[in-house]
Amino acid sequence: MRIVHAIARLNVGGAALQVLELAAGQARRGHEVLVLHGRIPPGEESMAYVADERGVPTRYVDSLRRELSPFRDLAALLAVRAVLRERRPDVLHTHAAKAGAIGRLAALAAGSARPPVRVHTFHGHVLRGYFGARRERAFTLVERALARTTSALVAVSPEVRDDLVALGVASVERFTVVPYGFDFPAPSRNTERQDGFVVGYAGRLTAIKRPLDLVRVLRRVVDRGTDASLLVVGDGEEREAVERAAAELGVGDRCVFAGYQRDMAEWYGRFDAFCLTSANEGTPVAAIEALAAGVPVVATRVGGTPAVVDDGETGFLAEPGDVDALAEHVVRLARDLELRERMGRTGAERMRARYGIERMVDEVQALYERLLGR
């Protein structure tokens, strides 16, 4: 089977990692795979090294970028169309909003080289919470139109699917839910730890993640008498604002900003609890990885997070922006070692059962074969 994947950027994050893991799994099974990707914006780190490590063939399309630009977007469309005419894939599989639009329009313009199967994966969506109401309505109309040109739509969680159905992107029957898949290392505790109870975060420091809430939670946890610190692994445009807020709230000396790190296993081993304060999530990869490492998760009840964090069993959920509730959950974990260890064990068992790589590759291949009539 000839497969072309398209994604706007191979930046640090769940979507890029999953595209590369999926492509690697397909290549292991003897399929001819190529991943098209564009430029990473300034301030973000690349995951292209994962492609090198997994032996995944990639092709860089400079004009394929996340930002809207009529000239560059047309150039990207023509570049992707050229690849489709060159490779004549059986399947074009696009990922996330920008590459989803460019790739599917390129397929329509490819003439006789149009791939017989066009699949698009929503790793989340930008139709609510990212832009103003007018732009969100416009993007929703675009997604509805593109859905009609697509052989199958994939959502990474039931919550993402249901949200898209509620927004009118397509009917529920058009969607297939395929959860992420990971190659998890064995859980381990890192001896190079900070003092006290360590609240961890891993991911981008960007507005949709509400990273300022992390230091607000820490302030309330300390005010409740818990000797706690915050360990942030990741970077982004909000980093300076978060560091400034930590200083203003008097917890700057309790915060460590480690920046982007490749070997995350050892960093998860430094956390006593993981805190995710996002306003929106598709599938929260860092929460999955934390649970797989035996770390309970305190998170906001948004997007696909409830499908990952079993409230009261592997962690706790609260409403976005409710820093008091998030802090109460962190304090409860800090004060109850037995609860923390039980949630960590349960989380590790469930993540490994739900989110294996081969299961994900199996489900996607079954979808392709059904659409190709094989």
Side-chain angles (χ1 to χ4, degrees), residues 39-191:
R39 177 178 292 192
I40 295 174
E44 295 196 27
E45 294 293 318
S46 173
M47 292 195 78
Y49 69 89
V50 176
D52 295 336
E53 291 175 351
R54 305 290 194 276
V56 175
T58 64
R59 187 175 299 184
Y60 175 65
V61 179
D62 185 70
S63 52
L64 181 55
R65 306 184 192 183
R66 189 183 188 190
E67 300 78 14
L68 291 173
S69 167
F71 176 78
R72 280 199 301 265
D73 292 347
L74 176 60
L77 188 156
L78 295 175
V80 175
R81 185 184 68 173
V83 173
L84 297 179
R85 288 178 170 176
E86 169 199 333
R87 311 243 342 163
R88 295 187 175 265
D90 301 299
V91 179
L92 170 65
H93 193 153
T94 58
H95 301 265
K98 188 58 174 290
I102 296 295
R104 286 179 284 178
L105 290 172
L108 288 175
S112 62
R114 180 185 301 180
V117 168
R118 284 110 29 224
V119 176
H120 177 67
T121 292
F122 290 92
H123 294 261
H125 64 80
V126 295
L127 305 180
R128 183 182 293 140
Y130 281 80
F131 306 105
R134 182 176 298 178
R135 292 185 73 184
E136 288 177 353
R137 283 195 298 270
F139 291 155
T140 300
L141 291 174
V142 170
E143 287 292 355
R144 289 174 185 170
L146 289 170
R148 291 194 286 270
T149 75
T150 310
S151 306
L153 303 170
V154 174
V156 296
S157 73
E159 290 77 11
V160 171
R161 175 201 61 196
D162 294 346
D163 207 15
L164 292 164
V165 170
L167 288 163
V169 170
S171 63
V172 68
E173 293 80 13
R174 296 288 318 283
F175 285 93
T176 299
V177 175
V178 180
Y180 281 173
F182 301 88
D183 182 14
F184 296 115
S188 64
R189 300 301 287 164
N190 194 305
T191 56

Side-chain angles (χ1 to χ4, degrees), residues 4-331:
V4 170
H5 292 276
I7 184 169
R9 51 189 182 148
L10 291 179
N11 64 318
V12 172
L17 177 62
Q18 289 305 297
V19 171
L20 294 174
E21 292 287 16
L22 174 58
Q26 292 168 336
R28 285 195 300 272
R29 297 183 182 196
H31 301 300
E32 183 182 313
V33 182
L34 176 68
V35 175
L36 303 179
H37 67 95
R39 177 178 292 192
I40 295 174
E44 295 196 27
E45 294 293 318
S46 173
M47 292 195 78
Y49 69 89
V50 176
D52 295 336
E53 291 175 351
R54 305 290 194 276
V56 175
T58 64
R59 187 175 299 184
Y60 175 65
V61 179
D62 185 70
S63 52
L64 181 55
R65 306 184 192 183
R66 189 183 188 190
E67 300 78 14
L68 291 173
S69 167
F71 176 78
R72 280 199 301 265
D73 292 347
L74 176 60
L77 188 156
L78 295 175
V80 175
R81 185 184 68 173
V83 173
L84 297 179
R85 288 178 170 176
E86 169 199 333
R87 311 243 342 163
R88 295 187 175 265
D90 301 299
V91 179
L92 170 65
H93 193 153
T94 58
H95 301 265
K98 188 58 174 290
I102 296 295
R104 286 179 284 178
L105 290 172
L108 288 175
S112 62
R114 180 185 301 180
V117 168
R118 284 110 29 224
V119 176
H120 177 67
T121 292
F122 290 92
H123 294 261
H125 64 80
V126 295
L127 305 180
R128 183 182 293 140
Y130 281 80
F131 306 105
R134 182 176 298 178
R135 292 185 73 184
E136 288 177 353
R137 283 195 298 270
F139 291 155
T140 300
L141 291 174
V142 170
E143 287 292 355
R144 289 174 185 170
L146 289 170
R148 291 194 286 270
T149 75
T150 310
S151 306
L153 303 170
V154 174
V156 296
S157 73
E159 290 77 11
V160 171
R161 175 201 61 196
D162 294 346
D163 207 15
L164 292 164
V165 170
L167 288 163
V169 170
S171 63
V172 68
E173 293 80 13
R174 296 288 318 283
F175 285 93
T176 299
V177 175
V178 180
Y180 281 173
F182 301 88
D183 182 14
F184 296 115
S188 64
R189 300 301 287 164
N190 194 305
T191 56
E192 298 179 19
R193 293 167 46 80
Q194 297 162 237
D195 294 334
F197 188 80
V198 180
V199 181
Y201 170 79
R204 291 180 296 132
L205 295 176
T206 191
I208 199 67
K209 302 291 187 179
R210 296 183 65 101
L212 293 173
D213 284 351
L214 291 169
V215 293
R216 293 171 182 144
V217 168
L218 177 63
R219 177 70 267 174
R220 285 161 175 77
V221 168
V222 172
D223 288 344
R224 286 163 172 76
T226 297
D227 180 17
S229 60
L230 175 66
L231 175 54
V232 176
V233 184
D235 213 333
E237 68 272 12
E238 292 289 303
R239 176 168 175 169
E240 289 186 10
V242 176
E243 293 179 329
R244 186 165 56 249
E248 291 171 353
L249 290 171
V251 291
D253 60 339
R254 294 177 175 268
C255 297
V256 173
F257 294 86
Y260 286 115
Q261 302 290 332
R262 287 192 180 184
D263 183 7
M264 282 303 303
E266 69 163 284
W267 292 92
Y268 287 119
R270 302 185 187 198
F271 302 162
D272 292 305
F274 184 85
C275 190
L276 187 67
T277 54
S278 300
N280 194 9
E281 286 284 346
T283 292
V285 171
I288 293 172
E289 292 177 338
L291 287 169
V295 181
V297 173
V298 174
T300 45
R301 188 181 284 105
V302 295
T305 304
V308 172
V309 182
D310 298 318
D311 196 15
E313 298 178 35
T314 62
F316 297 107
L317 297 174
E319 297 307 310
D322 191 347
V323 293
D324 287 314
L326 292 166
E328 285 293 344
H329 293 321
V330 171
V331 169

